[in-house]
C-alpha cells in the first residue's frame, strides 16, 4: 500500500481539541444568540480568539468551558465603551484643550447639518474648501451625510421650508429634554444616568396623563413624556368610551397614534399591543381612513405571527377584501397561499374568499348577496369602497346582454340596492339619466343606448388605486 503524501497545495488537517470544538458549538447555539450582535461580527471574533490561542500554543491550557463566548465579549466591550463615554477618565467636567477643540468641530458640523441659517455665503466671497474635498472631489460618505445641505447651497435662497419645519418640531422637545439626552458627544455630565440606547434599553415611561397629543419624535424620547403600561391600559378604556360617546375621529386618531408611539418606544409587544392596533384599525375602517388602517395592519401581521392574541382570522379576511379593492393580484395570491385549510373554513375568511370568487367569475348576483349578508365585523365598510365600481361593471354587462330595455326593479334586486330610488339615483349619478323612461306604469332603462354612458365610467373606476400607507 502506498502512503498518500500531501502535495504542497494541500493544507494539513488540524486536530482541534474537544473543548475547542464544544466552545465553537456553544458560540453558534441558538440559545446563545445575541440579537444586537451580527453573525459575521461574532464569527470574526471567534476566529480571532481561537487563532490567538493557537499561535500562543495555549489551546490545551485555556479553560474553554469558562471562557466568555465571542458575542458576550462584544457586548462587554460595547458596555465598557458606553460607560467610558458617560464617565470619562479625566472626570469633574474638566475637558482637555484638544478634546474641547474636537467637540467644537463636531458640534459645528452637526449644527450645519440641521440648521440652514448657519450655511450663509462667506462675507469675503470665498468658501473654505475642506481638505478631503481637495483630495477627492466626490467623497461618497461625505456626500451622503451632507446631502440636504448641498441642496440648500445650490438653491441659494436661504432657509428651506423643510429645515424650518424640522427645527420647529425639534423645539417642542428642547424645554423638557433631560441633560443625559444631550446631542453633544464626549461631553461629561453630572448626571449618572447613561445615555439612552434604543437597541440596549427600552424607555420606561413616567408620565401619568391619560390623554396626550401625538408628536413625531425628532430625538430620543423623554421618559417624563412617555406613559407606562398601566396608564396606557386606562387610556385605551377611556378612548373606547369617548369614541362611542362623541365619535370625534380626528381626536381619537391622534390619541391612538400617541398611544402606539408610547408602546413602540418602550418595546411593549403583548396582547395589549395587539388589542390597541386592532381597535385603531377597526375605527379607521369605519371612517374610511385606509392610510391609518394600513399602518395598523402592517404591525398586526407581525403581532399575529408571534401569537400575541387578537383576532388574526378577522384581519386576514380584511386583507383579502382590501386587495380586492386595490386590484392587487400579486399580494392577493400571497395572502391566499398563506391560508391554512382551517382558516379557510372560518366564517370571516370564507366570506372574503367567496367575494373574491364571485367577482373573478363575474357573478354579480352572488356578489350582491354577499354584500347584503356581510358578517358582523368591518367587512361591509371595506366592501363599500369597491361596491360602486363592481356595480358599474355589472351595469355594463347587463347593457350588453339585455336589450333593448330592462326594468329598474331588476337592477335593484340583482345589484343589491335597497330601493328603486337608490337604484335610479346610482344610474343618474353615472350619466344614465337620459336613458330612463317610464312606460306601462314602471321605470325602464334603455340598455341598448345606455352602454356608451356606463362603459367610460366603468373604465375610470377600475384605474389603479394609490393609497397612502398602502401595504
Amino acid at each position: 500500500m502506498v502512503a498518500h503524501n500531501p502535495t504542497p497545495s494541500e493544507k494539513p488537517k488540524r486536530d482541534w481539541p474537544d473543548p475547542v470544538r464544544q466552545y465553537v458549538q456553544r458560540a453558534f447555539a441558538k440559545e446563545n444568540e445575541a440579537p444586537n450582535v451580527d453573525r459575521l461580527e461574532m464569527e470574526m471574533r471567534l476566529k480571532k480568539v481561537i487563532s490567538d490561542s493557537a499561535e500562543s500554543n495555549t489551546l490545551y491550557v485555556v479553560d474553554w468551558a469558562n471562557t466568555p463566548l465571542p458575542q458576550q465579549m462584544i457586548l462587554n466591550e460595547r458596555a465598557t465603551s458606553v460607560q467610558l463615554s458617560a464617565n470619562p477618565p479625566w472626570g469633574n467636567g474638566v475637558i482637555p484643550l484638544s478634546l474641547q477643540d474636537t467637540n467644537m468641530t463636531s458640534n459645528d458640523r452637526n449644527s450645519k447639518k440641521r440648521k440652514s441659517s448657519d450655511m450663509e455665503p462667506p462675507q469675503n466671497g470665498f468658501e473654505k474648501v475642506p481638505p478631503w474635498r481637495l483630495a477627492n472631489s466626490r467623497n461618497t460618505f461625505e456626500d451622503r451625510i451632507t446631502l440636504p445641505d448641498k441642496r440648500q447651497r445650490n438653491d441659494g435662497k436661504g432657509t428651506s421650508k423643510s429645515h424650518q419645519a424640522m427645527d420647529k418640531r425639534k423645539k417642542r422637545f428642547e424645554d423638557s429634554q433631560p441633560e443625559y439626552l444631550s446631542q453633544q458627544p464626549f461631553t461629561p455630565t453630572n448626571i449618572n444616568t447613561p445615555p439612552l440606547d434604543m437597541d440596549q434599553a427600552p424607555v420606561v415611561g413616567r408620565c401619568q396623563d391619560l390623554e396626550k397629543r401625538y408628536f413625531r419624535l425628532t430625538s430620543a424620547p423623554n421618559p417624563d413624556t412617555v406613559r407606562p403600561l398601566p396608564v396606557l391600559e386606562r387610556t385605551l378604556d377611556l378612548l373606547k368610551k369617548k369614541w362611542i360617546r362623541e365619535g370625534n375621529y380626528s381626536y381619537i386618531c391622534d390619541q391612538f397614534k400617541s398611544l402606539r408611539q408610547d408602546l413602540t418606544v418602550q418595546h411593549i409587544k403583548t396582547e395589549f399591543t395587539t388589542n390597541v392596533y386592532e381597535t385603531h384599525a377597526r375605527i379607521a375602517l369605519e371612517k374610511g381612513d385606509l392610510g391609518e388602517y394600513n399602518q395598523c395592519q402592517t404591525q398586526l401581521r407581525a403581532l399575529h405571527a408571534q401569537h400575541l392574541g387578537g383576532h388574526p382570522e378577522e384581519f386576514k379576511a380584511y386583507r383579502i377584501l382590501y386587495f380586492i379593492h386595490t386590484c392587487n393580484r400579486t399580494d392577493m395570491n400571497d395572502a391566499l397561499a398563506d391560508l391554512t385549510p382551517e382558516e379557510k373554513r372560518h366564517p370571516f375568511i370564507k366570506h372574503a374568499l367567496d367575494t373574491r370568487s364571485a367577482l373573478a367569475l363575474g357573478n354579480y348576483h352572488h356578489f350582491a348577496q354577499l354584500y347584503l349578508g356581510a358578517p358582523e365585523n368591518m367587512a361591509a365598510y371595506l366592501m363599500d369602497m369597491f361596491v360602486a365600481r363592481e356595480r358599474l361593471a355589472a351595469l355594463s354587462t347587463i347593457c350588453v346582454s339585455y336589450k333593448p330595455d330592462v326594468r329598474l326593479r331588476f337592477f335593484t334586486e340583482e345589484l343589491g340596492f335597497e330601493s328603486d330610488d337608490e337604484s335610479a339615483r346610482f344610474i343618474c349619478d353615472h350619466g344614465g339619466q337620459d336613458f330612463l323612461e317610464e312606460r306601462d306604469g314602471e321605470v325602464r332603462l334603455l340598455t341598448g343606448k345606455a352602454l356608451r354612458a356606463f362603459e367610460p365610467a366603468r373604465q375610470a373606476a377600475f384605474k389603479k388605486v394609490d393609497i397612502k400607507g398602502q401595504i
Side-chain angles (χ1 to χ4, degrees), residues 297-454:
Q297 178 73 288
T298 302
Q299 295 297 323
L300 284 172
R301 289 187 65 189
L303 294 170
H304 290 153
Q306 299 175 29
H307 305 289
L308 296 176
H311 305 82
E313 293 84 3
E314 175 187 356
F315 283 86
K316 286 183 179 181
Y318 295 158
R319 282 182 61 80
I320 295 174
L321 295 175
Y322 171 77
F323 292 142
I324 293 175
H325 170 56
T326 57
C327 301
N328 191 336
R329 297 182 180 179
T330 301
D331 288 340
M332 171 69 81
N333 292 336
D334 294 339
L336 297 180
D338 292 338
L339 294 176
T340 64
E342 183 179 358
E343 289 175 336
K344 292 179 180 179
R345 292 190 292 268
H346 191 277
F348 293 166
I349 296 180
K350 186 177 184 303
H351 172 267
L353 292 176
D354 290 343
T355 302
R356 187 200 73 85
S357 177
L359 294 178
L361 297 173
N363 190 343
Y364 50 81
H365 175 81
H366 189 204
F367 168 73
Q369 300 303 315
L370 291 169
Y371 173 68
L372 296 176
E376 295 182 359
N377 56 10
M378 314 307 293
Y381 292 101
L382 271 168
M383 298 181 74
D384 283 340
M385 299 177 186
F386 58 85
V387 64
R389 179 187 70 194
E390 300 303 333
R391 280 171 170 169
L392 277 174
L395 273 175
S396 297
T397 302
I398 292 174
C399 287
V400 172
S401 306
Y402 297 83
K403 294 180 180 180
D405 54 37
V406 174
R407 293 183 302 112
L408 182 63
R409 188 63 188 171
F410 177 81
F411 289 104
T412 303
E413 295 174 350
E414 287 297 310
L415 303 184
F417 290 106
E418 294 183 357
S419 64
D420 289 347
D421 290 340
E422 182 183 1
S423 176
R425 192 180 311 112
F426 180 84
I427 292 175
C428 293
D429 290 342
H430 294 88
Q433 63 274 8
D434 296 334
F435 308 105
L436 287 173
E437 65 176 27
E438 188 172 358
R439 186 173 47 191
D440 299 334
E442 59 183 4
V443 179
R444 305 182 74 88
L445 176 67
L446 303 179
T447 55
K449 301 178 180 179
L451 179 61
R452 64 174 180 267
F454 295 139

Side-chain angles (χ1 to χ4, degrees), residues 59 130 136 149 178 201 207 251 297 314 357 382 457:
L59 286 175
N136 185 0
D149 295 342
C207 179
Y251 164 80
Q297 178 73 288
E314 175 187 356
S357 177
L382 271 168

Side-chain angles (χ1 to χ4, degrees), residues 125-137:
F126 298 97
E127 182 177 358
K128 184 178 179 180
V129 181
W132 58 84
R133 285 294 191 189
L134 295 175
N136 185 0
S137 60

Side-chain angles (χ1 to χ4, degrees), residues 100-116:
Q100 290 180 357
D101 296 340
T102 303
N103 282 338
M104 291 176 62
T105 304
S106 176
N107 293 338
D108 291 342
R109 279 199 301 268
N110 290 337
S111 63
K112 287 182 180 179
K113 287 166 58 181
R114 293 188 176 274
K115 297 181 180 179
S116 56

